[in-house]
Amino acid sequence: MKRAWLIGPAAAVVLLIALPFIGNNYILRIATSMLMYVALASSWNYIGGFAGYPSFATAAFFGLGAYAGGILQFKGVPMVAAWLIAGVIVTAFASAVGRAILRLRGHYFAIASLVIADVLREVINGMTGVTGGGMGLNVPVMKIDVTTQARLFYAAMLAVAVLAVVTSALLDRSRIGFGLRCIEQNEDVALRLGVHTARYKTIAFALSSIYPALAGAVYASWVSYIDPAEAFDVLFSIKPIIMALLGGAGTVAGPIVGAFIFQAMEELVWRNFLSVHLGLLGLIVVLLILFLPQGLLRHRLLRPRMRPLLVKAP
Amino acid sequence: MLYLQVLVNGVLLGGLYSCIAVGFSLVWGVLNIINILHGSLIILGAYAAYFAFTLLGINPFFFVPLAGLLLFLLGYGLQAGVINRVMGASVLITLTLTFGLNLILENAMILAFKADYRKVVLDPPLGLIEIGTAILPRDRLYAMVLALILVAALYVLLRTTRIGRAIVAVRMDRDAAALMGVNVERIYAVTFGIGAFMAGAAGSLMSVMFPISPLTSVTFLGKAFVICVLGGLGSIPGVMVGGIMLGILESFGALWLGPDYSTTIAFVLLLVLLMFRPTGIMGKRGFD
Amino acid sequence: MTLSPAALLRLLSRFAFALTLVGASMTAAGQGTILIGAPLPLTGGLAPEGLKLQRGYDLWAEEVNKTGGISVGNAKMPVKMVYYDYQSNTPRAVQLAEKLITDDKVNFLFSPFGSGATKAASAVSEKYGVPTIAPTASSVEVYDQHYKNLFGTYTPNSTLTEPIAELVRKNAPQVARVAILARNDLYPLALAEEFERSAKARGLNVVYFEKYAIGTLDHASAITQMRAAKPDWIIATGYINDMVLVRKQMSDQNLRAPVVTMINGPAYQEFIDATGALANNVTTASWWHPAARYTSKDVFKSSENFTNLFRTTYKVEPDFTSAGAAVAGAVLQMAIETAGTLDRDKVRSALRDGKFATFFGTIAFGPEGYANSYTPPVLQIQGGKPVVLVPADIKMADFRLGV
C-alpha cells in the first residue's frame, strides 16, 4: 500500500494520453490551454517558488517566444524547428537580462521583471515591417483538417508541459534546487555558506524562460494570429503565479494542481458569467491570498498525506 | 520654437504626473506595498468628477477635494479591512492581493460605467494662452498648477501636522514609532487613505483633459512606477522632479522617436535605472 | 486504498470541466432557424461602432423575419442573430468566433469590427469552413491569406484615398505639404499608407508621417510636431474616439490647415456632436451615405427605403457602418436564396459568383474576396452636416477650404 498515492496521478496520466481519442475539438482546446498553463506555472516555480524571487517576466518570455516562433514560420521555417529556435533565442535573452536584474531584490526585482514585457511589447509594436506592429502577425495556417490540428497542438503542449514538470522534479532533487531553497530562506547567509547565489539564480531564471517560450511559440501557431498587446498580456505573468500559489509554491505538484483547478474555475466562470469574469477571478485571488497563502498542497488538513509529493517539507 | 512647445507640453503634463505618482509613492514608502489599485483609484476619481459634472454641474476643478475625500474613505476602508491582513508578508503576497483587488474594482467599474470613453466637456471651453511661440491650453495649465499645489500641500502636511510626523516616523522605523505610542495600524490605514485621496484628486483633474475609461487605468500605474523610481522613494520633492522629468522625457521622446514610442522610453529608462541606480535621481530619504 | 489529495484534486478538476462541457453541448439550434453569429465590441474603445453594427444586423433580421424568413428551397426559415461582446479586445473576438461555431453551432458568421479583428477571426472561419461576411474590412492586407471563406463588402482603401487626393489637387492646387498621423492598427495604418501613395503620386510632399499607439489619449506631441512642419493638408486616421480627440487637441494647440481629412469619424453624427463647430470643413470618405439612391433586389428594395426604415426605428440617420452591417445580412440572404440550401459549400459558391444589387450599391466579390464594384462617396462637413462631394451623380455641394 505504500504506492497507493500513485494511483491518482496514474489515472490522470492515462486520461491525458487518451484525451485526443475520446474528446472533441472543444475539449481538446480547453485541455491544450490547461497544459499550457501547467508549463507556465511550473516554470515560474523555478524562480518564484524555489528561489523566492517574485518574477513577473513570464509574459515577456511567452510573448517573445510567440513572436520569434511566429516570425520564423512566416519566413518559411518549418513549424517545429521554429518552436525550438524560438526557445533558444528566448533563453539566451533571459540569461542576459537575468544577469542584470537578478541583483535587485523584492519589489525592485518584481517591477523590473514586469517592465521587460512592456518594453518588448512596445519595441515589437514599433517594428511594423517585421512583426506587423499593431496590425498583428498572421502565422500560416496548416493545411490539415481541424481535428488533426487540434490533436497536434494538444500533443505539442502536452510535451512542453511534461518537460516543464520533469525539469521541476529534477531541479527539486538537485544541488541547484537545494541552493535555490537556501537563497529563498536567506540569501545573505546562503552566500556566506558558499552557495553560488548569482549563478544559481541566473540558471533558475533562464530555466524559467524556456518552457514559456516554447509554449508561446506553440500558442502562436495554434491560434494563427498574435498581436503585441495580446502576446505580452500581463495576465500571462499573473495567472501562473496564482496557479502556483493556489497549489503550493515551491512544490513540484503544486503548480500542476493549481493550474488545473484554476482553469476549471475560470472556464466555468467565463462560460456563465462573462461580464463579471474578471471580477470573480479577482475575488478568487483575494480569497486565496487571505485564506490559503501556502497553497492547497500545504494546507494543514492535507499536510500529513502530502509527504510523498513534497520532497522538501517547508 | 518647436523645442519650446515640446518642453511646455512636457512640463504641463509633468505637474499632473506628480500628483498621480505621489499617492503611490507614499503607500510604497510607508506600507511597503505596491498598490496595483492605484490606477483604478485615479479612474474612479475621474468618474466621480464626471458624474458630479454631468449630473450636478460641479466643475471638476472645484470637485477635486471632494473626489479626494471620497477616495480617502474607500482607501482607508480597503486598507483597514483587507490589506491590513497581509502587512509584513512577502512582496509576492501583497502584490498579488492588490492585483486581485484591482481586478474586482475594474470589473465593478466596467459594469457600472461601461467601458466606453466618457469626456467632460466644459462649455464654454477654457481656451488657450499664448506665450511667445508656445501655446498653453488653459485646462492643462490649471490642472498642472492645482496638481503641484496638492503635492506641496501633502509635503507640508507630512512636515508640520502630528499625523504627518507619525507617518514619517512609521516610515523610518515602525517599531520605534510603535514604542513611541503611535498606533501603527491606524497610520497604515490613514496613509493608504491619503494615497487614495491624491489618486482621486488627480483623477478629477484629469477628467477635463482626457477621456475616461476603466481600460486606461494600467497606463497610469506604469507612469507612477517610473516616477517613483526616477525620483526615489520616500521623497516628495523627488516625486515632483520625477513627474516633471517624465513629462519632459515623454514629450521629447515623442519628438525624436515618434509618438508611438513615448511610453517605451519611460519603460526603458525605468529598466536602466533599476539596473544601475534603483534609489533614483534624488535617492532614498525620509519624507522630509 | 485512498487517493492522495493531489490526485483527488486533479480528478475533481477534471470532473468540473467535464460538467462544463455538458453545459456546452446543451445549446443547440432550434429546428428551422438560421443562426448567424456576430462577435461585437459592445463595450470598450470601439463600443460606438459595435452598437452601429448591431443596429444594422437587427434591422435586417427584423425585416427578413417580417416576410417569414429567408427562402431556403421551398421553405422559409426565420433568422436569429447570436451576439457576444468581445470588449474591443481582438483575441477575445477570435475566441468568441470559435465559440459561436463550435458551441452555438451558427450556420454563418459576420466578422468582428474592423480590419484587424476581421483578419484575426478569419483564420477561425477558414479552419472550420464557415462562410463569413466582413462588413467593415477594407484593407487588402486582410485578404492576403487567400482564404476561401471571407467575403468583404467594403472596397479597398485606395478607393477612398484616390478620390480625395484628386479633389484636393483640382480644387486646392496650392496644397503642397502633407502631414499624416495614423493609428497603429491594421486599417488606419493601411489607409494612411494608401494616402501617402495617393499624395506622392500627385507630386505632393509628405512632410510628416507618424503612428500613435492604440489607446493614446494625449496627441499633444504629434500635434506640436505637425504644427512645426507647417502642413497644408492634414490627414488623420483612426476610429471615432481617436478622431474626436485629435480634432479637439488640434484646436488646443491652434493647429489649422487649408485641408483636413479624418477617417473614420466625421461621417458619424457622434463626431459632429462631440466636436461641434470644430467639425466644419473636415473632409472624410465612407462606403455609403444616406444620400445614395440605389434601387435593389434585396429585402430593403432601395437605399431610400432603408434610410427611412432605419430613421423610423432608431430615430437617427443611418451611417455607413450600420448600413454595412445590414447589407452583409442582405447579401447573405440573397446568396442563400440563390443556393437554395444552407449547405456551406453551396452558399460559399453563391457568394463567390454572385452579383448582388443591394441598397448599398452593386456588390460583387472579387477573386481575393473583397468587393470593388461601387464608388464610395467623399464627404465634407458643412454647416454641421455631412454633404457629398463625390460621386457627381449624388453631389450635394462644392469643396470648401480652411479648417
Side-chain angles (χ1 to χ4, degrees):
Chain A
M1 288 302 130
K2 264 206 216 140
R3 292 295 172 98
W5 63 270
L6 266 176
I7 294 191
V13 168
V14 169
L15 182 59
L16 277 173
I17 298 181
L19 206 59
F21 305 103
I22 56 175
N24 69 23
N25 290 351
Y26 192 61
I27 296 184
L28 279 182
R29 193 167 73 71
I30 298 181
T32 309
S33 180
M34 284 195 179
L35 288 168
M36 183 174 90
Y37 278 102
V38 167
L40 294 179
S42 293
S43 298
W44 176 83
N45 207 18
Y46 312 154
I47 184 76
F50 293 163
Y53 267 68
S55 165
F56 285 83
T58 313
F61 303 142
F62 182 85
L64 193 57
Y67 264 94
I71 294 175
L72 284 169
Q73 278 191 258
F74 194 72
K75 304 268 189 208
V77 175
M79 191 169 69
V80 180
W83 294 343
L84 294 172
I85 300 177
V88 170
I89 295 176
V90 176
T91 311
F93 173 79
S95 309
V97 169
R99 209 156 285 145
I101 69 172
L102 283 162
R103 287 183 284 142
L104 303 165
R105 306 266 185 105
H107 283 311
Y108 291 117
F109 173 76
I111 296 179
S113 65
L114 184 63
V115 168
I116 299 177
D118 283 316
V119 173
L120 281 175
R121 187 191 61 228
E122 294 302 324
V123 167
I124 286 189
N125 220 342
M127 294 164 59
T128 324
V130 179
T131 65
M135 302 194 277
L137 183 69
N138 270 78
V139 180
V141 172
M142 300 173 67
K143 305 258 184 286
I144 55 178
D145 69 279
V146 198
T147 313
T148 316
Q149 272 193 49
R151 289 180 183 171
L152 179 71
F153 287 115
Y154 172 83
M157 216 49 107
L158 178 61
V160 176
V162 165
L163 284 171
V165 171
V166 166
T167 307
S168 189
L170 287 175
L171 196 62
D172 192 42
R173 280 154 230 260
S174 75
R175 212 166 146 161
I176 300 183
F178 182 72
L180 292 174
R181 289 213 159 87
C182 291
I183 294 175
E184 196 246 332
Q185 298 278 352
N186 190 325
E187 185 162 353
D188 298 315
V189 169
L191 186 58
R192 229 163 280 153
L193 287 176
V195 175
H196 298 190
T197 53
R199 193 193 306 166
Y200 284 4
K201 281 191 292 186
T202 313
I203 293 177
F205 193 66
L207 277 177
S208 79
S209 74
I210 304 181
Y211 304 112
L214 287 173
V218 173
Y219 176 82
S221 306
W222 183 33
V223 300
S224 326
Y225 171 86
I226 50 173
D227 68 45
E230 177 211 353
F232 293 100
D233 189 352
V234 71
L235 284 174
F236 284 126
S237 286
I238 302 283
K239 282 193 200 171
I241 295 178
I242 297 174
M243 292 171 191
L245 284 177
L246 177 61
T251 66
V252 175
I256 306 176
V257 169
F260 277 118
I261 295 192
F262 184 84
Q263 293 251 277
M265 282 195 294
E266 212 193 353
E267 184 65 27
L268 275 165
V269 168
W270 196 69
R271 168 182 300 286
N272 297 313
F273 302 109
L274 198 49
S275 62
V276 296
H277 147 250
L278 281 175
L280 276 179
L281 244 38
L283 186 61
I284 291 172
V285 168
V286 171
L287 292 174
L288 171 67
I289 295 288
L290 292 180
F291 301 116
L292 206 57
Q294 291 291 331
L296 283 164
L297 290 185
R298 290 215 208 113
H299 199 262
R300 274 172 309 155
L301 289 174
L302 299 172
R303 197 186 299 202
R305 286 140 132 221
M306 290 320 312
R307 222 136 281 250
L309 280 164
L310 294 176
V311 178
K312 306 268 188 290
Chain B
M1 175 285 245
L2 172 63
Y3 290 130
L4 179 62
Q5 182 68 51
V6 172
L7 183 65
V8 164
N9 290 344
V11 171
L12 283 178
L13 221 42
L16 187 61
Y17 282 172
S18 310
C19 192
I20 284 177
V22 77
F24 184 79
S25 175
L26 189 64
V27 168
W28 188 354
V30 176
L31 283 81
N32 201 29
I33 286 191
I34 289 199
N35 184 12
I36 303 283
L37 281 156
H38 194 75
S40 299
L41 292 174
I42 296 176
I43 300 291
L44 196 54
Y47 270 113
Y50 171 80
F51 285 117
F53 178 72
T54 48
L55 299 175
L56 302 171
I58 308 179
N59 186 309
F61 288 121
F62 297 137
F63 190 72
V64 165
L66 272 170
L69 191 58
L70 284 170
L71 268 297
F72 176 88
L73 294 170
L74 176 64
Y76 189 101
L78 261 177
Q79 205 286 337
V82 182
I83 299 179
N84 207 28
R85 292 163 177 255
V86 300
M87 290 307 299
S90 72
V91 168
L92 192 59
I93 297 283
T94 56
L95 208 47
T96 315
L97 178 67
T98 54
F99 184 84
L101 287 170
N102 187 43
L103 279 180
I104 298 176
L105 182 57
E106 261 186 12
N107 207 152
M109 286 199 290
I110 292 180
L111 278 179
F113 308 133
K114 301 286 170 62
D116 325 333
Y117 288 106
R118 313 291 184 104
K119 180 96 174 51
V120 166
V121 182
L122 292 177
D123 195 15
L126 288 172
L128 24 104
I129 299 181
E130 291 193 49
I131 301 186
T133 52
I135 295 186
L136 288 80
R138 278 216 178 90
D139 53 6
R140 291 193 188 204
L141 183 62
Y142 294 169
M144 177 193 92
V145 168
L146 274 173
L148 289 175
I149 290 179
L150 279 168
V151 174
L154 182 62
Y155 181 70
V156 168
L157 179 108
L158 287 176
R159 286 197 81 154
T160 58
T161 66
R162 245 186 96 201
I163 210 158
R165 298 308 294 163
I167 292 177
V168 176
V170 169
R171 156 84 180 79
M172 286 162 69
D173 191 330
R174 192 190 78 160
D175 298 315
L179 282 171
M180 300 289 282
V182 171
N183 182 340
V184 173
E185 281 201 356
R186 198 166 74 94
I187 291 297
Y188 280 157
V190 167
T191 309
F192 198 88
I194 294 180
F197 180 100
M198 298 305 287
S204 192
L205 287 173
M206 247 183 32
S207 66
V208 184
M209 294 162 44
F210 299 127
I212 312 162
S213 162
L215 305 173
T216 53
S217 61
V218 71
T219 349
F220 299 115
L221 190 63
K223 298 203 200 286
F225 272 153
V226 179
I227 295 172
C228 283
V229 177
L230 260 179
L233 266 193
S235 161
I236 293 197
V239 167
M240 270 197 196
V241 168
I244 296 189
M245 272 188 67
L246 180 63
I248 296 178
L249 259 158
E250 280 186 352
S251 209
F252 277 99
L255 178 65
W256 290 321
L257 299 174
D260 45 341
Y261 276 116
S262 58
T263 35
T264 320
I265 297 207
F267 285 132
V268 170
L269 181 68
L270 176 62
L271 265 180
V272 166
L273 274 177
L274 282 173
M275 289 187 213
F276 300 111
R277 198 178 156 78
T279 50
I281 311 284
M282 308 279 284
K284 207 172 188 171
R285 289 170 8 212
F287 270 101
D288 49 53
Chain C
M1 229 175 352
T2 47
L3 289 172
S4 79
L8 183 64
L9 286 168
R10 218 173 308 178
L11 283 176
L12 269 175
S13 64
R14 311 265 176 156
F15 184 59
F17 105 145
L19 272 180
T20 67
L21 295 164
V22 170
S25 53
M26 301 225 277
T27 49
Q31 280 299 71
T33 318
I34 306 178
L35 291 178
I36 306 182
L40 289 178
L42 293 173
T43 58
L46 297 171
E49 285 88 345
L51 183 60
K52 292 172 196 295
L53 285 177
Q54 192 176 33
R55 284 184 165 169
Y57 295 140
D58 283 343
L59 191 67
W60 168 72
E62 229 181 84
E63 275 310 287
V64 168
N65 289 341
K66 270 191 207 156
T67 71
I70 301 184
S71 305
V72 184
N74 291 324
K76 277 213 173 198
M77 295 173 70
V79 152
K80 181 162 171 349
M81 295 297 306
V82 185
Y83 300 121
Y84 281 120
D85 175 15
Y86 65 87
Q87 304 179 332
S88 305
N89 176 312
T90 299
R92 210 162 284 166
V94 179
Q95 268 181 314
L96 288 167
E98 190 165 19
K99 184 176 195 304
L100 282 162
I101 297 174
T102 56
D103 237 16
D104 301 86
K105 311 240 187 299
V106 297
N107 300 92
F108 304 101
L109 215 53
F110 291 146
S111 298
F113 177 83
S115 297
T118 298
K119 187 170 187 181
S122 63
V124 173
S125 309
E126 193 68 6
K127 257 195 230 181
Y128 289 94
V130 178
T132 301
I133 307 204
T136 56
S138 58
S139 310
V140 296
E141 289 84 345
V142 176
Y143 305 95
D144 62 9
Q145 302 290 302
H146 307 296
Y147 287 164
K148 302 198 180 18
N149 285 287
L150 189 62
F151 298 94
T153 54
Y154 279 178
T155 55
N157 292 333
S158 52
T159 62
L160 294 182
T161 63
E162 280 291 302
I164 296 185
E166 199 49 37
L167 200 64
V168 168
R169 197 172 65 100
K170 286 219 184 92
N171 293 312
Q174 72 277 26
V175 164
R177 300 165 67 87
V178 182
I180 305 180
L181 182 63
R183 173 173 157 132
N184 192 0
D185 202 347
L186 201 161
Y187 160 65
L189 190 53
L191 183 63
E193 285 173 356
E194 260 326 309
F195 264 117
E196 192 182 21
R197 255 167 251 150
S198 297
K200 283 196 175 151
R202 286 165 178 77
L204 298 174
N205 185 10
V206 178
V207 298
Y208 177 89
F209 189 147
E210 286 295 345
K211 323 187 276 278
Y212 60 91
I214 298 174
T216 301
L217 298 180
D218 185 32
H219 296 278
S221 316
I223 291 174
T224 303
Q225 287 168 250
M226 283 201 279
R227 209 156 56 97
K230 298 204 199 335
D232 306 309
W233 183 12
I234 298 176
I235 301 172
T237 66
Y239 293 108
I240 185 175
N241 284 323
D242 306 306
M243 298 295 89
V244 169
L245 266 180
V246 170
R247 182 67 195 95
K248 285 204 158 150
Q249 293 181 3
M250 271 173 61
S251 126
D252 277 348
Q253 286 204 41
N254 228 359
L255 176 58
R256 298 161 189 234
V259 185
V260 172
T261 302
M262 296 189 147
I263 304 185
N264 291 359
Y268 296 125
Q269 188 58 38
E270 289 89 334
F271 177 89
I272 301 174
D273 291 338
T275 52
L278 294 175
N280 280 327
N281 289 354
V282 174
T283 37
T284 186
S286 70
W287 287 270
W288 182 87
H289 188 266
R293 292 282 173 274
Y294 300 105
T295 48
S296 57
K297 299 209 178 76
D298 60 28
V299 70
F300 294 105
K301 308 277 186 291
S302 75
S303 314
E304 234 180 312
N305 199 24
F306 169 79
T307 305
N308 289 332
L309 203 54
F310 194 96
R311 214 185 273 136
T312 336
T313 314
Y314 296 114
K315 315 278 184 283
V316 289
E317 289 292 290
D319 51 43
F320 63 95
T321 305
S322 297
V327 85
V331 166
L332 181 63
Q333 176 179 11
M334 291 199 270
I336 295 176
E337 289 175 348
T338 313
T341 161
L342 289 179
D343 175 71
R344 284 175 177 159
D345 292 322
K346 298 232 167 69
V347 172
R348 195 182 305 122
S349 301
L351 281 167
R352 203 184 49 224
D353 303 328
K355 203 168 162 170
F356 306 101
T358 73
F359 74 90
F360 201 86
T362 308
I363 296 195
F365 300 112
E368 294 300 336
Y370 56 84
N372 205 345
S373 47
Y374 59 91
T375 316
V378 173
L379 310 164
Q380 183 172 39
I381 313 295
Q382 294 181 0
K385 286 190 181 322
V387 298
V388 178
L389 302 176
V390 170
D393 50 345
I394 49 172
K395 175 170 162 176
M396 290 157 73
D398 283 319
F399 182 56
R400 278 191 206 163
L401 281 173
V403 175

